[in-house]
Amino acid sequence: MANENYISMSIGSNIERVPKNIVFCSMIGGRSHVKPVLEIGRLLMKRSHNFTIVAPNARKTVKNEYPQISLYDLDPVMKEHSSESRKLYQEEFNINHLQILARQLEAHYSHVFNNLKRVALEKKADLLICDVVAQPCVDVAWTLKIPVVIFGGALGLASYKSDPMFGCHVTLEGKSFFERFRCVIIQHSQTAFYWYKSSVKYFNQERISVGIEPVSYPTERTRNSLFLANTFFGFEIAETLPPLYQEIGPIMYDSYPPLTTSLESFINSHERIIYIAFGDRFYTTPENNGKILKSVLELLTTKNLDGAIWALTQTPMTDFPSTINLQSGISINTTTILTNSNPHIKILDWAPQFAVLNHTNVKIFLTHGGIESIFEALYTATPMLIMPLYVDQYGNAEKLTMQGCALTVSKLALDEKDLFENITRLLTDHSIAQNLKRMQIFARINRLRKYRAADLIELVMYTAKHVEGAGNIPIVSEWQTADARIGVWRAENWDVWVFASISCLLLVVTAGLIGIKILKFANRWIIIRWFSRTTNRNTKEKSQ
């Protein structure tokens, strides 16, 4: 018999929401850093909260996609075609390039801090969402004593994780002892020491210049804050995560710009298209552009492909050779291609990427491996040829290659033959297609976790409080693990294990010493007994 006392509830409407003011700050800018948080902001605004973004070129990046969100522009930290950016994008990434990036961030500290603080006070901010590298944002939250949420990609907390941009691998599982020693002891220590020294020393100088207390280590003010990672297991290497670290990716959008009439007509008239794009800020060398274009033309000649779309968002048309010489001996003037006079190649300043990838006639995606591009390719199950250009893209490429969803080429040793062979393999390898179908399920199911991200931000706003010993930023103490309060030494019971180990060692040593004494005593007793019996026997023999 049914229980007539059951209570009916409407999911999601069973808490009383008090409107809050939320400000998001990105120091780097760009769509992959900004738009995912704006998508969460859109959900929060539906829940009656106010949302503001402070970022470099915010209006240019967002355009008219989120008209209800207040936008404040910052000066760009990285100018796309400066000599420093060309070094970062076109050369091998190393510790010196990390220094370039750090100096760029440090140089903009006071500009970001002062503008963000002004906006936060003007908007009466109740919570700040800070991009993972936005140190000034965290310091503003610390100054105003309001909660902060950190947003970024995967951190790689497990000891068996590493980073390919410094010559290691995304996982050290199955690697030799010497490779693990090099990555864990030498490479990690060098990178950690440099970043620790750089971020503490130089950022502290900037903090003092704006009247903020310095820190002792980089994460001092965020160690108790919620971190939202725009990623998901399946794409990421699995690991055990603490409560304050939450995966909420892949953040996808409810609607995307459609194909233009001319672009739709081009795609519909070709059945095997390669789409080439390096995001909204990256580009490669003129030499690589020539090699890519030549490979595309060779593939069109052999009928492996019958169309190509290239979005030259940050690539100047002057970064192409004047002519392309094919193996057949034919010489092609690139001007005819770049001006869209070739009926099989479409050159664009910008492309509605998701709509392009979602079309069944687009078979290959040549990408730099940016996180937003990867998520869109996984969602549409589009095979990828990845040419990493910068920082996290190296790790993204290796993870997808390990999953059998992509192939990788090097920007430093790009070879036309390799391009031709890899693209041909992506067109014909059924195992890659199957692996992408499996990853597509991960991407499509996990995309709804942006609602979870909005829930978590609300939870922080409504429940965060000042906790003694946690610092100046209010936190959700229920998420704070024991090591944050009592230290890792006691939380991991290392003191108990050390005491037990020492006790066992002392017990073994004591037992050993006692055993030696017993053996010595027994040995003396045996010798004395033997000597006594021998003496008595000799005495008896003489008396007889």
Side-chain angles (χ1 to χ4, degrees):
M1 184 175 178
N3 190 335
E4 296 179 356
N5 295 323
Y6 283 164
I7 299 174
S8 176
M9 290 193 298
S10 176
I11 296 175
S13 63
N14 54 348
I15 66 168
E16 294 183 9
R17 287 187 169 91
V18 178
K20 297 283 187 178
N21 301 311
I22 305 163
V23 177
F24 163 57
C25 175
S26 174
M27 201 167 179
I28 296 293
R31 290 180 67 85
S32 61
H33 284 260
V34 170
K35 198 174 176 188
V37 182
L38 293 188
E39 187 66 13
I40 298 172
R42 182 182 63 81
L43 298 178
L44 290 166
M45 292 192 75
K46 286 185 175 180
R47 301 177 184 185
S48 302
H49 303 299
N50 302 307
F51 199 86
T52 302
I53 172 181
V54 180
N57 295 326
R59 290 179 176 83
K60 179 181 177 182
T61 301
V62 180
K63 298 179 181 177
N64 299 318
E65 296 174 80
Y66 297 87
Q68 71 277 32
I69 292 179
S70 300
L71 305 175
Y72 288 80
D73 284 337
L74 294 173
D75 293 338
V77 172
M78 299 174 65
K79 296 180 174 62
E80 278 79 7
H81 290 279
S82 65
S83 58
E84 290 84 2
S85 293
R86 284 190 173 270
K87 282 181 176 290
L88 295 174
Y89 302 162
Q90 298 182 344
E91 297 179 3
E92 182 178 7
F93 197 86
N94 55 46
I95 198 75
N96 295 323
H97 290 172
L98 192 64
Q99 182 177 0
I100 293 173
L101 177 60
R103 292 294 177 271
Q104 289 176 326
L105 294 172
E106 292 152 8
H108 285 76
Y109 177 95
S110 59
H111 169 71
V112 176
F113 179 89
N114 291 325
N115 280 278
L116 177 60
K117 184 178 179 182
R118 174 180 56 81
V119 173
L121 289 171
E122 176 187 318
K123 295 293 183 179
K124 298 180 180 178
D126 296 296
L127 177 137
L128 290 185
I129 303 176
C130 301
D131 200 347
V132 67
V133 297
Q135 295 270 9
C137 179
V138 175
D139 290 337
V140 169
W142 185 86
T143 302
L144 301 181
K145 299 182 179 181
I146 59 177
V148 63
V149 172
I150 310 300
F151 183 89
L155 287 182
L157 304 176
S159 59
Y160 50 82
K161 285 191 172 183
S162 190
D163 203 319
M165 70 177 171
F166 295 122
C168 295
H169 293 278
V170 291
T171 177
L172 299 178
E173 181 183 359
K175 302 300 183 287
S176 69
F177 170 83
F178 294 104
E179 185 171 0
R180 288 183 286 120
F181 181 88
R182 178 180 65 83
C183 290
V184 174
I185 303 300
I186 300 175
Q187 195 64 62
H188 285 191
S189 299
Q190 180 187 10
T191 306
F193 174 77
Y194 171 77
W195 191 249
Y196 177 89
K197 178 183 176 182
S198 174
S199 62
V200 171
K201 179 181 178 181
Y202 293 102
F203 273 119
N204 275 346
Q205 292 175 359
E206 296 297 327
R207 288 184 177 100
I208 293 170
S209 71
V210 295
I212 300 299
E213 292 183 24
V215 299
S216 302
Y217 54 93
T219 58
E220 180 178 328
R221 289 175 180 155
T222 58
R223 70 186 190 277
N224 293 306
S225 298
L226 175 65
F227 187 102
L228 298 179
N230 183 20
T231 190
F232 61 96
F233 286 142
F235 169 61
E236 295 296 336
I237 307 297
E239 63 179 311
T240 302
L241 299 176
L244 284 169
Y245 183 101
Q246 297 279 336
E247 289 189 335
I248 46 84
I251 294 179
M252 306 291 291
Y253 316 116
D254 293 339
S255 62
Y256 287 84
L259 296 171
T260 62
T261 303
S262 62
L263 185 55
E264 185 174 20
S265 175
F266 176 87
I267 295 177
N268 287 337
S269 62
H270 297 82
E271 295 182 352
R272 295 181 308 283
I273 298 173
I274 182 171
Y275 171 61
I276 306 167
F278 301 134
D280 65 342
R281 69 163 29 137
F282 299 104
Y283 50 87
T284 186
T285 62
E287 293 77 13
N288 284 347
N289 290 332
K291 292 176 181 178
I292 293 170
L293 185 55
K294 181 178 178 179
S295 298
V296 168
L297 289 168
E298 295 284 7
L299 287 158
L300 290 173
T301 301
T302 59
K303 307 298 183 182
N304 291 34
L305 296 173
D306 64 0
I309 301 170
W310 195 332
L312 301 179
T313 308
Q314 287 296 337
T315 302
M317 291 192 179
T318 54
D319 277 5
F320 285 89
S322 58
T323 57
I324 299 291
N325 299 312
L326 302 183
Q327 291 181 356
S328 61
I330 298 176
S331 181
I332 298 178
N333 189 323
T334 56
T335 302
T336 61
I337 296 172
L338 298 175
T339 57
N340 282 318
S341 298
N342 188 307
H344 303 295
I345 301 178
K346 189 78 167 176
I347 301 296
L348 303 168
D349 293 329
W350 175 85
Q353 182 164 286
F354 184 80
V356 171
L357 295 174
N358 200 40
H359 200 290
T360 56
N361 289 354
V362 176
K363 305 299 183 183
I364 305 294
F365 182 20
L366 175 51
T367 173
H368 62 309
I371 199 67
E372 186 171 14
S373 294
I374 281 174
F375 287 166
E376 290 176 358
L378 291 177
Y379 191 92
T380 58
T382 307
M384 286 168 277
L385 181 58
I386 305 176
M387 184 174 70
L389 300 175
Y390 185 63
V391 193
D392 64 318
Q393 297 159 17
Y394 297 94
N396 295 341
E398 185 173 347
K399 282 178 278 194
L400 286 172
T401 303
M402 288 173 58
Q403 293 286 0
C405 298
L407 299 176
T408 304
V409 291
S410 170
K411 68 177 182 180
L412 302 175
L414 195 63
D415 183 80
E416 296 156 12
K417 183 180 178 182
D418 287 343
L419 283 169
F420 186 95
E421 291 178 351
N422 283 323
I423 292 172
T424 302
R425 181 184 167 189
L426 288 169
L427 287 167
T428 57
D429 194 329
H430 296 295
S431 65
I432 293 176
Q434 289 299 316
N435 290 330
L436 277 165
K437 286 293 184 182
R438 177 173 52 84
M439 290 298 293
Q440 184 183 50
I441 295 172
F442 278 95
R444 292 195 171 190
I445 290 178
N446 285 325
R447 76 176 184 87
L448 296 176
R449 293 198 293 181
K450 62 185 179 182
Y451 294 93
R452 169 67 173 161
D455 293 340
L456 292 169
I457 290 170
E458 281 194 311
L459 199 153
V460 171
M461 286 193 298
Y462 291 135
T463 66
K465 59 183 179 181
H466 282 91
V467 176
E468 185 177 355
N472 210 35
I473 296 175
I475 66 167
V476 179
S477 58
E478 290 79 4
W479 288 344
Q480 190 183 52
T481 50
D483 57 295
R485 296 187 296 272
I486 62 177
V488 68
W489 182 259
R490 292 181 62 195
E492 297 291 340
N493 291 317
W494 288 347
D495 53 346
V496 174
W497 283 106
V498 169
F499 176 80
S501 299
I502 293 174
S503 298
C504 289
L505 180 61
L506 289 175
L507 184 62
V508 170
V509 171
T510 302
L513 292 174
I514 293 173
I516 291 172
K517 286 184 176 293
I518 292 172
L519 286 173
K520 285 182 178 180
F521 176 79
N523 191 45
R524 287 183 59 190
W525 183 80
I526 292 171
I527 292 173
I528 292 171
R529 291 284 296 173
W530 176 82
F531 181 78
S532 175
R533 293 181 65 178
T534 302
T535 303
N536 291 337
R537 188 183 304 115
N538 292 338
T539 303
K540 288 180 179 180
E541 289 176 354
K542 287 180 181 180
S543 63
Q544 291 176 355

